[in-house]
Amino acid sequence: MLKPVDDRLVETLRTELPGLSIGTPGAAYLEEPRGRYKGAGGVLVKPTSTSEVATILRLCNAAGVGVLPYGGGTGLVGGQIIEDGPAAVIVSLEKMTALRAVTGHVLEIEAGATLQAAQEAAESAGRLFPLSIASQGSARIGGVLATNAGGVNVLRYGNARELCLGIEAVLADGTVISGLRHLRKDNTGYDLKDLLIGSEGTLGIITAATLRLFPRPAAVGTAMMVVESPAAALELLELAEARMPGCVSAFELISGQGLRFLDAAGPEVHQPFAARPDWSVLIEIGLPEGLGPEDALTGLFEAAGDLVSDGVIASSESQRAQMWTLRESLPEANKRIGSISSHDISLPLPKLAQFIEEAQAALAELGDLRINCFGHVGDGNLHFNAFPAEGRDRKEYESLRRAIPETVYDLVDRFGGSISAEHGIGRLKVEDLERYGDPGKLAAMRAIKSALDPKGILNPGAVLAER
Amino acid sequence: MLKPVDDRLVETLRTELPGLSIGTPGAAYLEEPRGRYKGAGGVLVKPTSTSEVATILRLCNAAGVGVLPYGGGTGLVGGQIIEDGPAAVIVSLEKMTALRAVTGHVLEIEAGATLQAAQEAAESAGRLFPLSIASQGSARIGGVLATNAGGVNVLRYGNARELCLGIEAVLADGTVISGLRHLRKDNTGYDLKDLLIGSEGTLGIITAATLRLFPRPAAVGTAMMVVESPAAALELLELAEARMPGCVSAFELISGQGLRFLDAAGPEVHQPFAARPDWSVLIEIGLPEGLGPEDALTGLFEAAGDLVSDGVIASSESQRAQMWTLRESLPEANKRIGSISSHDISLPLPKLAQFIEEAQAALAELGDLRINCFGHVGDGNLHFNAFPAEGRDRKEYESLRRAIPETVYDLVDRFGGSISAEHGIGRLKVEDLERYGDPGKLAAMRAIKSALDPKGILNPGAVLAER
């Protein structure tokens, strides 16, 4: 059983680390973007080096006090908020933002740097760090890795996991793992990097990382195309990848519901199609020299035949930006409308279209709902969110708060999908993981957690249910 | 302390699994490609299903008997050979070869299937499974994943790890992990897949996997180009990737020494350059529609200017095959010449050329040696192998058997490289891992090993030193 952080531990921290910033967490550390969780407080520390993080963990572990690793606070599943239980030490990496090294292929950066800072450092070196998510201005590299963030470019470049070559991390007892390799190939023992990535701060605190950089595509093309259905969108993806293998960097599904939400609630964006199409896609390609992106997209449009009924190809950087602004405004429009239940799920591609049909039908049986289904369809990743019918308030749907996710996740499970494609488990989905997770995997996860963090101090209550 | 397999365990296996093939391992199971290790024997079982594997492990674990997971036997670091210690149960997956499912994006296949069978299944579905290694006709998927195999296409498509979406595996106590997801994105708990991949059979036995399939490039181009030095080769790679980002699938460095070994010892191959160049590269590209590979390679050749002094672009499939045959004959020529010491290493790309210079100089100080330095230079992966001077026998170099690898690995370590880029640790590099590995990482590896395999039955003596 963990103990609450007390004056004695604070005193010990002050003695061993005289320069350490120690204080009371302000409101910003106790809130999360969707307002579902409210932090209980505790003590906030802001280490400035890996060795300080190691000392903090060693002392907390010795005292049996919980530790909450804190990045940018942008997670959507409550992984960064402790609502109850013994007060913990919140370890924010915000002072560890150094860019340690940049080469043509690798960025070595501390975990407190924002994702945007990493992207900008890559750009300054004439390279691309392709990970891109809506919260990149605030999300910090440590959190991005701890949650294995995804976003819009996974199709071509992979998740955070695949974009990270190595990490430096501190385990519960203060052991430092120094794995900042600048290597693409390194088969020397167990893959601790990938074990820590996606463990949501429950196995260690990532303090720095080496990130893969890519050459920037010689030319980028962006288009929006109207399709009849999600099935047609997937056929179009297939066609695009057959014509331009490895060059399709984003393929986003947009539903008419999402466009109508934008019309009704804003933010104000430029909509390329006067009549809001039921289904459209945003496609982005990056090409080698010698191929023009507008030609390539026109060629795709023509080859698509009946699959695509209308389309707009961006002919300038500002048109391209408009398309992305539309896409990236969808979550804000959702927020303004106010969802009853949101689901970050993934499906095997061949089953995705059928899933959407069945899930919409199943939810329609539950009640009068609006569904905004959109997302990174090229990765099989959907944001499948349920909203009140027009003119109704979400309070009227209290009785469905549990039934909606249960219906969606049961179906996801039956289709071989994932109940958390890119946001993670955090505290929101702990019970869902117990329910839908593979028992063998859960048993192994508990064994690993016990081995690396025997007192359970790291992010207590996240990912694995406390027993 | 493990016990040797005895009649009682064999009897229990026969009783619980009446149909199980149980016998004495023939010579094929006790040898490895380079003849460095000689297996001690034991009992050979050939399960036909995952549940049989689970029963075997449960019984061996209860009896405290060691288990040697066996794939195709092609590993180069002795991971598949137990030379001494208590006799173990060799679990060969050769009867588990079923292709369970193929979709446009995923191959679900049992671990006993050969890599070549997986490639062929992908090809039958009009897709590409890009992992390619010299031993693909014999290497089995389970071993390929357990060792995180690399090969010639890592540059574009990644290692075995990045090509695997999910695994089914059996842990030491018989627990089955069912993780055969057909998903690109799935953030539901710890990444056990990647923990098992690369663990060389010491944490579990992989029984099946889901593998990523790719669209085949619209057109493939292959060329060999003569460069002045490894530094020039890397500049050429940079140029190629800038012009064709994401389209360069292989970039192999070939040394004049390797070409002269082919001349002297065979196998007989077509050599494109009459005077054997000191350094050349084999480059392969896969392009989107609308770009001709010969044009693209000619364009690269012209843009390269002084960087490339001569070049041949394959103008037919048979010319392309000739180039690859030359590349893939290099290990056989090495074998015929007979190396003193071989090193599968990787370096950060910006330091690779300097490493080659310094390593050659350091070995020259040790004695009169010939170095064949070649490999997947695009990934920073070199096969840096030392041979006797012409006319001399490797027996004359007995006294250098330890000094050569030590010199190479010390330098690799100093340059931030890896002492095992793609072959793994096996039994060959256990001491090297102890010496060069990060202490924090090694401690965490031991904790995980103890948690998942408390009796240490799985591949005893591999990867981690026994204590």
Side-chain angles (χ1 to χ4, degrees), chain A residues 280-327:
Chain A
S280 54
V281 296
L282 191 167
I283 176 170
E284 187 154 286
I285 58 173
L287 295 174
E289 271 185 27
L291 265 182
E294 288 185 48
D295 289 350
L297 287 167
T298 307
L300 173 65
F301 182 77
E302 283 164 6
D306 291 346
L307 222 46
V308 173
S309 59
D310 199 358
V312 180
I313 297 172
S315 61
S316 67
E317 184 52 37
S318 74
Q319 280 187 12
R320 177 180 171 243
Q322 276 178 348
M323 291 180 183
W324 278 110
T325 300
L326 183 154
R327 164 62 186 88

Side-chain angles (χ1 to χ4, degrees), chain A residues 148-387:
Chain A
N148 186 29
V152 295
N153 291 325
V154 174
L155 184 61
R156 175 165 180 169
Y157 297 102
N159 286 297
R161 177 186 306 293
E162 293 156 282
L163 299 173
C164 175
L165 293 172
I167 57 169
E168 176 188 84
V170 183
L171 303 183
D173 65 358
T175 299
V176 176
I177 296 181
S178 299
L180 292 176
R181 295 299 183 93
H182 291 216
L183 305 170
R184 187 77 192 281
K185 280 179 167 176
D186 177 27
N187 279 345
T188 52
Y190 304 163
D191 182 7
L192 299 186
K193 166 183 89 75
D194 284 312
L195 183 63
L196 282 156
I197 291 178
S199 71
E200 306 185 36
T202 64
L203 296 178
I205 297 185
I206 296 170
T207 51
T210 44
L211 304 175
R212 276 185 76 187
L213 300 184
F214 292 80
R216 307 185 75 82
V220 171
T222 309
M224 287 185 70
M225 298 190 187
V226 175
V227 292
E228 200 180 28
S229 62
L234 290 170
E235 273 188 71
L236 179 63
L237 171 66
E238 180 93 348
L239 183 67
E241 294 222 293
R243 294 171 65 90
M244 299 170 279
C247 299
V248 183
S249 45
F251 196 88
E252 299 284 309
L253 183 68
I254 296 170
S255 78
Q257 188 64 73
L259 300 179
R260 290 189 293 272
F261 280 173
L262 283 168
D263 285 332
E268 204 176 313
V269 296
H270 174 79
Q271 294 230 22
F273 307 110
R276 308 304 182 226
D278 279 346
W279 298 103
S280 54
V281 296
L282 191 167
I283 176 170
E284 187 154 286
I285 58 173
L287 295 174
E289 271 185 27
L291 265 182
E294 288 185 48
D295 289 350
L297 287 167
T298 307
L300 173 65
F301 182 77
E302 283 164 6
D306 291 346
L307 222 46
V308 173
S309 59
D310 199 358
V312 180
I313 297 172
S315 61
S316 67
E317 184 52 37
S318 74
Q319 280 187 12
R320 177 180 171 243
Q322 276 178 348
M323 291 180 183
W324 278 110
T325 300
L326 183 154
R327 164 62 186 88
E328 282 163 6
S329 299
L330 293 172
E332 177 58 26
N334 286 345
K335 204 173 164 180
R336 294 185 186 179
I337 298 286
S339 79
I340 305 165
S341 185
S342 302
H343 314 95
D344 160 44
I345 55 178
S346 67
L347 282 307
L349 284 178
K351 297 180 180 171
L352 187 139
Q354 198 194 335
F355 168 86
I356 294 177
E357 272 183 37
E358 291 197 23
Q360 282 180 326
L363 290 192
E365 281 192 23
L366 287 182
D368 191 8
L369 299 162
R370 287 178 295 179
I371 308 295
N372 187 9
C373 168
F374 66 103
H376 321 302
V377 73
D379 315 313
N381 183 188
L382 295 176
H383 299 306
F384 192 89
N385 300 352
F387 295 82

Side-chain angles (χ1 to χ4, degrees), chain B residues 4-11 13-14 20-26 29-30 40-47 56 60 65-70 82 86-92:
Chain B
V5 51
D6 58 11
D7 290 350
R8 195 165 147 190
L9 176 58
V10 169
E11 211 38 60
L13 284 166
R14 280 198 212 284
L20 181 67
S21 157
I22 307 185
T24 307
Y29 298 89
L30 306 172
V43 164
L44 174 68
V45 299
K46 299 178 182 174
I56 293 163
C60 289
V65 168
V67 168
L68 181 63
Y70 205 88
I82 296 182
V89 175
I90 302 174
V91 180
S92 169

Side-chain angles (χ1 to χ4, degrees), chain A residues 25 81 105 132 146-147 151 218 266 271 288 357 366 404-405 437 462:
Chain A
I81 301 284
H105 302 84
S132 176
T147 59
Q271 294 230 22
E357 272 183 37
L366 287 182
I404 293 172

Side-chain angles (χ1 to χ4, degrees), chain B residues 157-234:
Chain B
Y157 297 102
N159 286 297
R161 177 186 307 292
E162 292 157 281
L163 299 173
C164 176
L165 293 172
I167 57 168
E168 177 188 84
V170 183
L171 303 183
D173 66 358
T175 299
V176 176
I177 295 180
S178 299
L180 291 174
R181 296 298 182 95
H182 291 216
L183 305 170
R184 188 80 191 281
K185 279 180 169 176
D186 177 26
N187 278 346
T188 53
Y190 303 164
D191 183 8
L192 299 185
K193 166 184 90 73
D194 285 312
L195 184 63
L196 282 155
I197 292 178
S199 70
E200 306 186 37
T202 63
L203 296 179
I205 297 184
I206 295 169
T207 51
T210 44
L211 304 175
R212 275 184 76 186
L213 301 184
F214 292 79
R216 306 184 77 79
V220 171
T222 310
M224 287 184 70
M225 299 189 187
V226 175
V227 291
E228 200 179 29
S229 64
L234 290 170

